[in-house]
Amino acid sequence: MARLSPDNVTLALEIIGRYPRPKSALIPLLHLAQEQDGHLTDDAMAHIAELVGVTPAEVLGTASFYEMFKMEPVGRYVVNICTNIACQLLGGEELLEHAEHRLGVRPGQTTPDGLFTVEDVECIAACTEAPCLQVNYRYFHRITHDEFDQLVDDLAAGRRDDIPPHGTLARVRQHIPPERRAGCVLPEDTATPVWIASASTEEAEA
Amino acid sequence: MAITDAPKIITSRLGYDDSHTINRYVATGGYQALRKALTMSPAAVAEQVKAASLLGRGGAGFPAGVKWGLAPADVWPRYLVVNGDESEPGTYKDRILMERDPHQLIEGVLLACYAIGAGQAFLYVRGEMALAQERIAEALNDAYQAGYVGKGILGTDYSIDVVLTWGAGAYIVGEETALIESLEGNRGMPRLKPPFFPAAKGLYMQPTIVNNVETLSNLPWIVANGGEAFAALGAEGSKGTRMFAVSGHVRNPGVFEVEYGVTTFRDLIYAPVYAGGIRGDHQLKAFIPGGGSAPWFFEEHLDLPLEKVTVDKAGSMLGSGAIVVMDDTTDAVKACLRLVRFYARESCGKCTPCREGTTWLERILQRILDGHGRPSDLELLLDVSDNISPGLTWPPKQTTICPLGPSATAPIASALGRFRDEFEARITVAEQARTSVPVELKAPSHA
Amino acid sequence: MPEPEAPAADGVVVEINGREVVARKGELLIDAAERAGTYIPRFCYHERMRPVGMCRMCLVEVDTGRGPALQPSCMIECSPGMKVDTESEVTKKAQDGVLEFLLINHPLDCPVCDKGGECPLQDQTMAYGPGESRFVEEKRHKEKPIPISDLVLLDRERCILCDRCTRFAKEVAGDPLIHFIHRGNDTEVNTFPDEPFASYFSGNTVQICPVGALTASTYRFKARPWDLETTESTCQQCSVGCRISIDSSRDQVQRYAGVDIDPVNWGWLCDKGRFSHESVTAEARLGEPLVRQGDELVPTRWADALGRAADALRGASSPEAIGVIGGARLTNEDAYAWAKLAKGVLGTDNVDAQLGDGLPAEVVLGLPRATIDQVCEPGGTVVLLGPDVKEELPVLFLRLRHAVVSDGVTLVEVSPRTTGLTGLAAASLQPRPGEAGELVRALVAGSDAERDVAGLPAEAVNAARRLLAGSRGPLTVVLGRPSVAESATAVVDAATALLAARPDTTFLPALRRANVHGALDMGLAPGLLPGRVGLDEGRDCFAGSWPSVPASRGLDTEGILRAAADGHIDVLVLLGADPLADFPDHDLAERALAGARAVIAVETLPNASTRRADVVLAAAGFAEKAGTTTNLEGRVSSLSQRVTPPGTARADWMLAAELAARLGADLGVLDAEEILAEIGRVAPSHLGLDLAVVAGSPDGVLVPLGQPEAGPSSSGDAPEGQRGAAADAAAVRSDAADDTTTEEAEAAAAAAAEGAATAEAQAGAADGAAAGGDDAVPDEPLSAPRPELVAFVAGAPGSAPPLDAYAFRLVATRKLYDQGTTVQASAHLAGLAPGTAARVHPADADRLGVSAGERVVLRSARMSITVPVELDPGVPRGAVALVTNQRDVRVGDLIAVDGPVTELRIETAS
Ligand SMILES: Cc1cc2nc3c(=O)[nH]c(=O)nc-3n(C[C@H](O)[C@H](O)[C@H](O)COP(=O)(O)O)c2cc1C
Ligand code: SF4
Ligand code: FES
């Protein structure tokens, strides 16, 4: 199991079709697989390898380079606490420590109930809002220890339906309507773009 | 103080709650620049951007108009890649633009592609930015529907697909050649320049222009108002306005769009309309003027204008417009370690000096912090740094392919250069501990 | 490999350490410096792969006018006026720094590392490395060697992440099954879980690994470099003839490594070649002669064995009652000695080095010839019409792969099923078995086909036809027998059509087995004498040195086996041949061995056929004797002795000489060198060849002598005369005269013959010149004028019987690993033979109602076998593909060699 579902294969094919080379769709497809299973299974990676025409080793090579891809199951909520410089200066490390205490896990670990994974992460581009964190890549700015506890309680109690389970990134997908689609431009398509060509003919005429 | 009343060029819509919607965008003059451009020749559009002297906002500060001109003539297809991977420590501005004004970015992309003749555009958004991805997806879907993007844009023969794509967590992918590798589905490992300058050999080995989100977001204003109007703002070498994020130990951390090249660090850090000064009654200890990779500045640099050439000459950079302020409570060793650790964790692993050296530096620093430092460690830190970035000069020389490895040496050179006593104090404590009964580690005193 | 001379014409002048150096245009600094005598240290750079500039060891200070800056010399092309300092303080510090970085996490377990003593990292460290480590932290730890395949082990602690193995796997072999995974300081090389590095070329990664991270399971802890003695030789596992080095210690072969020669293997080997060294030292090796005692073969003394063999030969009722099969295992010298014995002393022409699975000798020797380089010439077009190159000629596959991927070569494949190259082919057509000739005629026709051809839709055929029509320059063709279940007729027919339509077409024969070419060149084929001449044409040349020459053409292997089966053969000599395993028609081989009155086998390892022999003569094998061999291009290169043969086994030529002596004749040879000299005196295609010539040509010597060595620009536009003896061979003779195709062929023949005349005139001069210097001048010139070399005989279009709705045609192919004796005698290779199943097109399976895994009965006119079915869209409809010589399934049972194709029915097993 854990190959891509038929619906996801349909989506995958649509995504692949947007890129001049199928392999370019690799990262988006890995996200799709992670959205499906919460983490990347070997079967899903092998399936994606088939879809884009590379070996599973190449898929793993790419996937394992990026830290958002999890090769092992993680919690329903991945809590990324930034401890990089701006957050460090304003209590990011203390917030992390608090989170470790509150949830009883070390960074990289998952609570026994499978709800939370805590991570000590690098700068997440919210520096002026330190200390900050993300839950499944949704931001929480200038967060106090109390607010953290409240957030955890809410999540555990299922009171935060604005935060989808781990793996789901954007809930809106790009969709290019077929009739509006300009089409992929392959490296082999060496023709001058029409608007450039017509501009230069106009110029020549003028 | 030089706080000017320059217009807000790229943050003009941020006051609206619905700034990200197509309705608000169109209602506030959106897509007018595109209409205008389509009545102009591509070359004329490029000319406006050149006249604006718009410097790239991604870090290197290379003039956008000049970069566009570097694509070899008559080699097709070309691609445009938008760098939305914002990850440099301290940097927070592209995310704001992507989440809160995605149409402005899309219009910028359309203008750039029109001018350079790109056949397809890829908008690469940092993986961790779920909301930005959502907002851009929504904006693109709307813009396609409305006929601004896709086939036969606004009834002309200009057609282009703008593809939203995104990463999965790797700082190095912000480096343009690594970004291209990532976009090809590979590990994000940089390519050597030369020969792989993207403008000549980029995505799929075709000419490719890589521009930062903020850079492109300026284009609608430039095309609408003319390059001259843009160039009328700012200083000689730094035109227009620019976003700066001021974070750390300030009263009012925030992201401010200010006139480029005129406003000073002191203005930005101390003026009440901006960051409002150091918090509490603390004193400034140091500040990073342009993101984690930049050498640190101190008190004596406060009156420098936020101007590229001036700051470069003073031995650092404005980089990605990220100013991180540290007050006198800051532990220089800790801050230094935190930055070095970042580069060690984010090294792609391609170059030996970066892969091995940055980790080594991190471990030495961690050891010093943990009370196991040795007197020889400080020279070792500098010598290992020197083997990554020979001479520890600015701009850095490198034994590596890209500047990431050398970036790890900047905080070391800065912190050790200015606060050597703090490092020594930790080592002395460690030495005493080694030779006598254990001593409780004391926080270092701050000069 | 950087070569010593730089052409000055478009050279680039750079300054290296104050000295002016002329670099080639586009040359990398690291290579230019090395040619100029300045070696820049490196780990990731490998001259046969794209540079990546990862290790940073090769940093040097380069000044291109903007002041000196550190640059990786492996990535920087020389540009005019560039000033380079490889010895400056800055350079040294950078290099020392890199070395220190590489060592901080390296386990430094040199004393127990297989690479110890020949490790670039170790060498660099000794030469330049820092004395004491400043790294006091704990090193990276990873699980010690993990097997990444059956043949290769990976020790990730030792790995320095140079990207050589991973680049090789992707770029060269096209098997990206190992990859970098994780990032930064955690980066490692690994495979996907449960998907091993199962590549035919995996051993190359062991060879190019600059540290001991990748080791071969055949060599672990076997020897230390300083105990090894090394000799260069030529691999004898297939006819590509890769250049190798043989390492031995204590008189035992320990390993082979690839040697980089430009025209052939570029340093690469396939795993079968590389790891076949285990068969040299195999337990089963024959170390003494055997003779039959009832049901058993028992060891005996040489005098006894040779005596019995000589008695049998002497007792033959007529020369024609003697048949000799085999010779591909032999050196050229062995083959010559045996040809002289068989044809000159015994007087039989029933001699054939091929086993009914190749092309007629006249086709192999007579077609205008292409070298590997010519086939791979950038921008060219190649027709593949033969066996699966990846399975049978693996390093030729690597060369072709490179040609397509990097050099813009267009492949058009005509094969009865998809192959390892199909994915790279611009067009790949799978005609119905037996109908390749018809297809090729349509491909070279002047206009589009209007209906299906050979079972293929007209559009597909026409697309490929237009591709060929649009190709510039001469076509090259890799030509061989795609399937042993059909006769050679269709292939010869196809070659005829190609040559007729495009007279400048050249051919590279895809020969099966190592030195077949040398054996044919030495006359181990019916109707031929050494030196590529017919019996009549060559008679005069041999008058002086041979007792006699057979009066008329004898039988080929099929004919010999038929005669034996019919009781007309008194003595059957198997010269390193195993017809029971290799002759396509197993039943005929079986009956032949039963029908021959006496069987003499000359062998290194026992096999099915030797077990049926009356006398077995133990032969010295590879690495145990010196001599020369000839690859599929006709390239003669040296074979070296590195170890002594097992027991009392001796070289094949010696056995021939001994037998001759016992028959009262003197072969007149005392050692291999002398035989080669005799070949150089009498064999018309080899005139002037001797040991000095071979030894003086590290890349080997192309025969016929007088043919210019292939260069990147020499094939296409060389004037006709310069094409030398290749043009002789283009003198196409045609038997059939009345259809248009043959008329065209005749026109081609006339054109080619014209060129040949020019070549002829030059031959004398060219012989000496090409062979390289004074040594090349033959001591004793040929007594008669050089006769015309054997010419290609055009085939007539054959036709396969009509296919009825129930019949299938058999496709029988080979795999790299099989039940053959060398593979099975190589402990680490034996288990890799994959087995076989009946592969059918899914639509056919559907129609028959059989599913994957189900066992079916395949029934031919001859016999039936039961095998599981596998679905394979790469097999054309109406065909069944099987792999020969695999466990449990004897494909030869189905094949009767008398028809053009083998027809089958598929029945569900009850
Ligand atoms: C290590 C490294 C990280 C970088 N990260 C980013 C980034 O996150 N965003 C960005 O726009 N540019 C980044 N850059 C700069 C890009 O390489 C490139 O210069 C920029 O995208 C060009 O756009 P611009 O000319 O519009 O500034 C980075 C460069 C380096 C060396
Ligand atoms: S310097 Fe570091 S991040 Fe940059 S290419 Fe080299 S290893 Fe990768
Ligand atoms: S040999 Fe040049 S970087 Fe490795």
Side-chain angles (χ1 to χ4, degrees):
Chain A
M1 247 305 284
R3 285 167 64 89
L4 294 186
S5 67
D7 282 354
N8 279 337
V9 169
T10 309
L11 260 175
L13 295 176
E14 188 192 330
I15 293 170
I16 290 170
R18 272 178 221 156
Y19 295 93
R21 295 277 187 264
K23 197 182 180 193
S24 283
L26 201 47
I27 291 173
L29 297 196
L30 287 164
H31 278 300
L32 194 61
Q34 185 149 290
E35 178 168 343
Q36 175 181 292
D37 301 322
H39 72 286
L40 290 182
T41 65
D42 288 353
D43 285 349
M45 283 191 276
H47 192 184
I48 289 171
E50 285 166 30
L51 290 171
V52 303
V54 300
T55 64
E58 288 176 288
V59 174
L60 178 63
T62 294
S64 62
F65 186 87
Y66 300 92
E67 62 237 355
M68 286 173 75
F69 293 129
K70 311 297 179 195
M71 309 294 158
E72 301 292 331
V74 290
R76 181 179 174 86
Y77 299 109
V78 174
V79 180
N80 289 352
I81 298 176
C82 176
T83 59
N84 204 307
I85 187 75
C87 286
Q88 182 196 47
L89 294 173
L90 292 173
E93 286 174 349
E94 291 75 9
L95 179 62
L96 174 65
E97 231 171 84
H98 174 77
E100 291 177 36
H101 263 273
R102 172 68 175 76
L103 296 170
V105 290
R106 304 279 300 158
Q109 294 178 340
T110 302
T111 54
D113 59 7
L115 269 186
F116 297 100
T117 301
V118 174
E119 293 194 343
D120 165 11
V121 301
E122 299 301 344
C123 182
I124 50 179
C127 310
T128 64
E129 313 305 312
C132 60
L133 60 80
Q134 291 184 320
V135 178
N136 293 348
Y137 307 106
R138 269 73 188 168
Y139 284 91
F140 293 86
H141 290 157
R142 305 197 192 200
I143 192 153
T144 64
H145 294 194
D146 288 345
E147 283 165 352
F148 180 84
D149 293 345
Q150 184 62 48
L151 175 61
V152 165
D153 289 342
D154 287 350
L155 288 167
R159 286 192 292 265
R160 293 301 300 251
D161 54 9
D162 55 326
I163 298 182
H166 179 256
T168 300
L169 284 175
R171 285 157 306 183
V172 181
R173 293 185 205 279
Q174 177 175 18
H175 175 68
I176 302 180
E179 72 285 0
R180 295 279 319 122
R181 189 167 179 226
C184 270
V185 174
L186 309 189
E188 297 77 22
D189 300 339
T190 54
T192 310
V194 276
W195 69 96
I196 299 278
S198 60
S200 47
T201 12
E202 271 165 40
E203 216 165 275
E205 279 162 14
Chain B
M1 296 240 173
I3 297 169
T4 69
D5 54 4
K8 299 276 178 274
I9 289 180
I10 41 178
T11 60
S12 66
R13 280 176 208 89
L14 302 195
Y16 298 101
D17 281 350
D18 60 352
S19 60
H20 60 279
T21 62
I22 193 164
N23 289 342
R24 173 63 61 196
Y25 189 65
V26 171
T28 50
Y31 292 115
Q32 291 306 319
L34 177 63
R35 288 184 196 278
K36 179 174 173 189
L38 292 176
T39 67
M40 300 160 67
S41 73
V45 174
E47 206 40 60
Q48 290 303 311
V49 176
K50 222 170 177 175
S53 297
L54 171 66
L55 299 187
R57 305 293 199 238
F62 195 80
V66 176
K67 189 192 274 188
W68 292 5
L70 293 179
D74 277 328
V75 179
W76 310 101
R78 292 173 185 175
Y79 298 104
L80 178 82
V81 173
V82 185
N83 191 342
D85 195 55
E86 185 169 64
S87 324
E88 177 77 18
T91 313
Y92 176 31
K93 43 126 188 151
D94 295 340
R95 175 161 79 92
I96 296 175
L97 296 172
M98 291 188 285
E99 288 179 356
R100 317 244 312 259
D101 205 345
H103 285 284
Q104 175 174 261
L105 172 61
I106 292 166
E107 189 174 8
V109 170
L110 295 169
L111 292 169
C113 292
Y114 180 73
I116 64 178
Q120 204 174 351
F122 299 92
L123 218 163
Y124 190 105
V125 180
R126 182 169 171 187
E128 290 93 334
M129 296 179 178
L131 182 62
Q133 290 155 29
E134 249 166 59
R135 291 272 167 88
I136 291 175
E138 196 171 15
L140 279 173
N141 290 348
D142 291 345
Y144 265 98
Q145 285 300 346
Y148 296 117
V149 192
K151 196 149 112 192
I153 292 172
L154 296 173
T156 65
D157 61 1
Y158 175 38
S159 297
I160 190 155
D161 273 341
V162 177
V163 175
L164 169 61
T165 188
W166 61 99
Y171 160 74
I172 186 58
V173 164
E175 194 283 331
E176 54 188 0
T177 59
L179 184 71
I180 287 168
E181 284 288 332
S182 184
L183 193 43
E184 291 183 7
N186 300 329
R187 302 162 60 78
M189 309 213 288
R191 300 172 178 169
L192 191 77
K193 301 186 279 188
F196 301 112
F197 283 114
K201 284 180 165 47
L203 187 62
Y204 316 121
M205 289 298 145
Q206 291 301 121
T208 302
I209 299 298
V210 182
N211 270 138
N212 167 264
V213 164
E214 185 187 345
T215 312
L216 292 167
S217 294
N218 278 291
L219 297 188
W221 195 95
I222 290 174
V223 172
N225 297 278
E228 295 296 332
F230 189 85
L233 298 166
E236 182 54 35
S238 302
K239 302 294 191 189
T241 63
R242 183 167 180 188
M243 287 169 87
F244 287 94
V246 187
S247 62
H249 294 146
V250 288
R251 285 205 181 88
N252 177 30
V255 182
F256 311 103
E257 181 178 353
V258 302
E259 189 168 354
Y260 200 4
V262 183
T263 315
T264 64
F265 287 107
R266 190 182 297 281
D267 299 333
L268 207 51
I269 295 172
Y270 287 93
V273 290
Y274 298 135
I278 308 298
R279 63 170 184 174
D281 40 10
H282 292 287
Q283 298 298 306
L284 176 73
K285 177 168 182 167
F287 64 97
I288 305 174
S293 313
W296 299 0
F297 271 176
F298 309 99
E299 183 74 36
E300 64 269 29
H301 298 104
L302 277 173
D303 290 312
L304 294 177
L306 294 158
E307 198 275 322
K308 182 177 177 339
V309 182
T310 316
V311 173
D312 287 350
K313 277 207 192 109
S316 189
M317 63 170 177
L318 285 175
S320 51
I323 298 171
V324 184
V325 179
M326 298 178 251
D327 72 11
D328 52 14
T329 64
T330 308
D331 180 336
V333 181
K334 248 178 123 175
C336 175
L337 166 62
R338 193 58 191 79
L339 286 164
V340 170
R341 184 181 130 190
F342 171 76
Y343 295 102
R345 278 171 70 161
E346 297 299 337
S347 165
C348 80
K350 193 171 184 180
C351 315
T352 306
C354 173
R355 179 183 70 241
E356 304 293 337
T358 55
T359 316
W360 191 2
L361 291 173
E362 182 200 340
R363 292 173 72 178
I364 298 167
L365 283 164
Q366 184 73 54
R367 203 155 39 74
I368 294 174
L369 194 73
D370 291 347
H372 303 297
R374 306 165 175 220
S376 57
D377 279 344
L378 300 187
E379 286 329 297
L380 184 57
L381 280 173
L382 288 172
D383 194 55
V384 171
S385 296
D386 188 81
N387 284 340
I388 303 172
S389 183
L392 296 177
T393 54
W394 190 262
K397 295 197 174 67
Q398 52 195 59
T399 57
T400 52
I401 290 173
C402 89
L404 185 146
S407 291
T409 68
I412 291 178
S414 295
L416 255 181
R418 188 78 164 210
F419 309 111
R420 194 177 176 106
D421 55 328
E422 290 186 36
F423 290 80
E424 282 169 348
R426 292 210 175 245
I427 290 170
T428 313
V429 173
E431 279 295 286
Q432 283 166 354
R434 236 200 300 279
T435 52
S436 62
V437 283
V439 180
E440 188 86 17
L441 251 190
K442 277 201 237 105
S445 59
H446 297 285
Chain C
M1 285 267 155
E3 283 154 27
E5 282 306 302
D10 58 350
V12 175
V13 182
V14 298
E15 193 186 298
I16 300 179
N17 298 343
R19 264 190 324 127
E20 271 199 0
V21 169
V22 184
R24 301 192 181 105
K25 195 159 172 286
E27 191 174 20
L28 294 171
L29 176 55
I30 198 169
D31 288 335
E34 186 171 0
R35 277 193 308 105
T38 304
Y39 183 84
I40 301 173
R42 80 248 355 225
F43 291 111
C44 64
Y45 180 62
H46 187 283
E47 57 275 2
R48 291 295 185 189
M49 296 192 287
R50 261 176 238 139
V52 281
M54 277 190 82
C55 75
R56 319 303 292 170
M57 191 63 206
C58 69
L59 289 171
V60 292
E61 273 199 303
V62 178
D63 187 348
T64 48
R66 277 170 297 163
L70 284 169
Q71 297 281 5
S73 55
C74 70
M75 294 282 290
I76 300 293
E77 285 182 10
C78 291
S79 63
M82 189 182 244
K83 285 197 174 60
V84 182
D85 195 336
T86 71
E87 284 158 359
S88 71
E89 282 295 307
V90 176
T91 298
K92 285 285 156 225
K93 179 147 199 303
Q95 292 182 356
D96 288 352
V98 170
L99 198 56
E100 181 181 34
F101 287 138
L102 287 173
L103 290 171
I104 59 176
N105 276 303
H106 192 79
L108 296 173
D109 54 353
C110 313
V112 296
C113 178
D114 272 346
K115 199 80 174 186
E118 55 178 5
C119 173
L121 182 62
Q122 195 183 31
D123 296 346
Q124 288 292 323
T125 309
M126 308 276 221
Y128 312 101
E132 205 178 296
S133 179
R134 304 190 287 176
F135 186 77
V136 299
E137 339 296 322
E138 188 159 351
K139 289 179 189 270
R140 250 189 324 252
H141 282 300
K142 310 232 177 189
E143 195 187 326
K144 271 299 192 182
I146 49 172
I148 54 169
S149 76
D150 293 298
L151 299 164
V152 179
L153 298 149
L154 168 65
D155 182 326
R156 291 163 299 169
E157 284 180 356
R158 293 182 189 150
C159 172
I160 59 165
L161 303 171
C162 68
D163 198 20
R164 279 187 174 194
C165 60
T166 37
R167 241 181 312 161
F168 173 84
K170 180 167 175 84
E171 213 178 284
V172 182
D175 296 324
L177 298 168
I178 45 173
H179 209 280
F180 281 144
I181 62 168
H182 306 311
R183 187 178 73 206
N185 207 38
D186 296 327
T187 309
E188 62 178 45
V189 169
N190 216 328
T191 62
F192 193 71
D194 301 325
E195 187 154 316
F197 181 35
S199 167
Y200 284 171
F201 305 99
S202 69
N204 292 296
T205 63
V206 174
Q207 184 174 335
I208 62 180
C209 178
V211 294
L214 291 165
T215 47
S217 46
T218 57
Y219 180 71
R220 287 198 84 213
F221 307 129
K222 284 275 172 64
R224 306 300 289 178
W226 48 86
D227 299 328
L228 293 175
E229 290 176 273
T230 301
T231 314
E232 256 193 43
S233 193
T234 304
C235 178
Q236 294 293 283
Q237 288 303 313
C238 80
S239 62
V240 174
C242 297
R243 204 61 187 154
I244 65 170
S245 64
I246 306 171
D247 286 348
S248 71
S249 73
R250 287 163 281 114
D251 203 27
Q252 293 276 301
V253 170
Q254 298 293 354
R255 63 173 178 184
Y256 301 152
V259 170
D260 191 327
I261 64 165
D262 212 56
V264 183
N265 60 313
W266 293 6
W268 311 131
L269 297 179
C270 73
D271 285 358
K272 180 172 166 186
R274 181 181 302 271
F275 298 115
S276 65
H277 68 82
E278 291 188 311
S279 67
V280 175
T281 46
E283 196 82 31
R285 278 296 301 276
L286 296 166
E288 50 198 346
L290 309 171
V291 290
R292 179 156 303 281
Q293 266 182 14
D295 283 349
E296 260 186 292
L297 281 168
V298 296
T300 184
R301 288 173 305 116
W302 275 104
D304 178 38
L306 287 167
R308 291 216 208 176
D311 287 348
L313 290 167
R314 201 180 300 112
S317 53
S318 69
E320 290 74 40
I322 299 173
V324 180
I325 296 177
R329 178 181 58 71
L330 276 51
T331 64
N332 290 335
E333 293 74 7
D334 293 333
Y336 179 83
W338 273 93
K340 191 169 180 179
L341 171 65
K343 299 198 171 180
V345 176
L346 297 170
T348 178
D349 196 53
N350 296 338
V351 175
D352 192 355
Q354 299 192 93
L355 283 156
D357 53 1
L359 299 172
E362 281 82 359
V363 173
V364 174
L365 302 181
L367 279 171
R369 198 50 85 77
T371 60
I372 296 174
D373 275 350
Q374 284 164 339
V375 169
C376 295
E377 187 163 309
T381 302
V382 183
V383 177
L384 291 170
L385 176 55
D388 188 336
V389 175
K390 189 171 183 181
E391 302 293 342
E392 299 205 28
L393 304 164
V395 172
L396 177 60
F397 163 82
L398 292 186
R399 291 290 313 269
L400 284 166
R401 188 174 182 281
H402 180 94
V404 174
V405 173
S406 304
D407 289 340
V409 164
T410 305
L411 292 187
V412 174
E413 179 178 68
V414 175
S415 159
R417 55 147 310 147
T418 52
T419 72
L421 276 164
T422 302
L424 295 168
S428 178
L429 300 171
Q430 278 73 53
R432 277 192 302 250
E435 298 178 25
E438 189 191 336
L439 173 60
V440 168
R441 264 179 278 126
L443 289 178
V444 295
S447 59
D448 276 354
E450 276 157 24
R451 63 184 89 97
D452 292 7
V453 184
L456 292 159
E459 313 86 77
V461 176
N462 293 334
R465 187 195 75 79
R466 274 176 245 131
L467 205 62
L468 286 181
S471 66
R472 280 172 295 122
L475 280 184
T476 53
V477 182
V478 177
L479 192 78
R481 280 274 289 280
S483 158
V484 295
E486 52 181 289
S487 73
T489 316
V491 176
V492 178
D493 180 17
T496 306
L498 278 159
L499 213 46
R502 305 274 291 254
D504 55 0
T505 303
T506 53
F507 296 80
L508 181 67
L511 295 170
R512 297 206 146 107
R513 286 182 279 277
N515 195 22
V516 169
H517 203 307
L520 299 180
D521 276 354
M522 292 303 106
L524 292 181
L528 294 180
L529 289 170
R532 303 189 186 175
V533 287
L535 293 176
D536 292 332
E537 293 78 2
R539 203 171 295 279
D540 291 349
C541 307
F542 292 86
S545 32
W546 283 28
S548 67
V549 167
S552 60
R553 186 186 179 96
L555 302 169
D556 65 3
T557 291
E558 182 185 334
I560 297 168
L561 294 177
R562 275 188 204 293
D566 294 346
H568 303 317
I569 295 290
D570 291 335
V571 186
L572 182 60
V573 180
L574 302 177
L575 267 183
D578 181 5
L580 285 178
D582 291 336
F583 188 73
D585 179 338
H586 185 259
D587 179 63
L588 177 55
E590 190 67 59
R591 285 184 288 121
L593 282 181
R597 231 141 279 151
V599 176
I600 301 169
V602 186
E603 256 306 357
T604 57
L605 281 160
N607 60 39
S609 304
T610 57
R611 284 183 205 104
R612 303 279 290 273
D614 300 288
V615 181
V616 179
L617 304 177
F622 185 69
E624 295 164 353
K625 59 184 175 181
T628 59
T629 184
T630 305
N631 82 345
L632 44 65
E633 301 168 287
R635 183 181 302 279
V636 179
S637 60
S638 64
L639 294 166
S640 305
Q641 179 173 4
R642 178 67 263 145
V643 293
T644 39
T648 56
R650 3 188 125 170
D652 299 80
W653 69 263
M654 270 184 216
L655 298 174
E658 295 263 9
L659 285 172
R662 279 173 168 70
L663 295 168
D666 182 2
L667 285 192
V669 290
L670 290 172
D671 61 27
E673 182 171 352
E674 211 173 276
I675 304 178
L676 185 60
E678 180 169 325
I679 295 168
R681 280 196 304 274
V682 299
S685 58
H686 286 53
L687 293 182
L689 196 68
D690 65 12
L691 196 61
V693 173
V694 176
S697 315
D699 289 351
V701 181
L702 277 179
V703 286
L705 288 174
Q707 183 179 357
E709 175 74 37
S713 61
S714 66
S715 79
D717 38 27
E720 201 69 54
Q722 266 182 34
R723 294 169 62 78
D728 291 6
V732 180
R733 270 198 251 116
S734 177
D735 295 348
D738 51 356
D739 75 286
T740 45
T741 330
T742 3
E743 269 167 33
E744 282 170 42
E746 271 176 339
E754 227 171 275
T758 334
E760 204 70 65
Q762 294 187 345
D767 283 351
D774 302 342
D775 292 336
V777 179
D779 316 349
E780 278 171 55
L782 200 61
S783 45
R786 174 159 146 168
E788 206 173 301
L789 301 187
V790 62
F792 173 61
V793 181
S799 62
L803 206 58
D804 75 47
Y806 302 102
F808 285 81
R809 289 185 191 155
L810 176 61
V811 175
T813 61
R814 289 241 173 105
K815 282 274 177 198
L816 185 66
Y817 302 120
D818 58 14
Q819 297 297 313
T821 43
T822 22
V823 170
Q824 291 306 311
S826 303
H828 284 81
L829 299 179
L832 300 179
T836 189
R839 295 182 164 266
V840 294
H841 193 279
D844 282 341
D846 228 31
R847 187 164 61 89
L848 292 168
V850 297
S851 49
E854 190 175 335
R855 291 180 74 78
V856 293
V857 176
L858 302 180
R859 188 178 306 284
S860 75
R862 175 60 50 84
M863 239 177 264
S864 68
I865 60 174
T866 307
V867 277
V869 165
E870 260 175 53
L871 309 188
D872 187 342
V875 176
R877 299 194 56 170
V880 179
L882 285 166
V883 179
T884 61
N885 210 3
Q886 297 289 333
R887 253 182 336 270
D888 307 333
V889 178
R890 198 155 66 205
V891 179
D893 280 350
L894 297 172
I895 302 170
V897 282
D898 36 22
V901 294
T902 304
E903 282 196 290
L904 299 175
R905 273 160 211 266
I906 302 181
E907 298 160 8
T908 42
S910 42

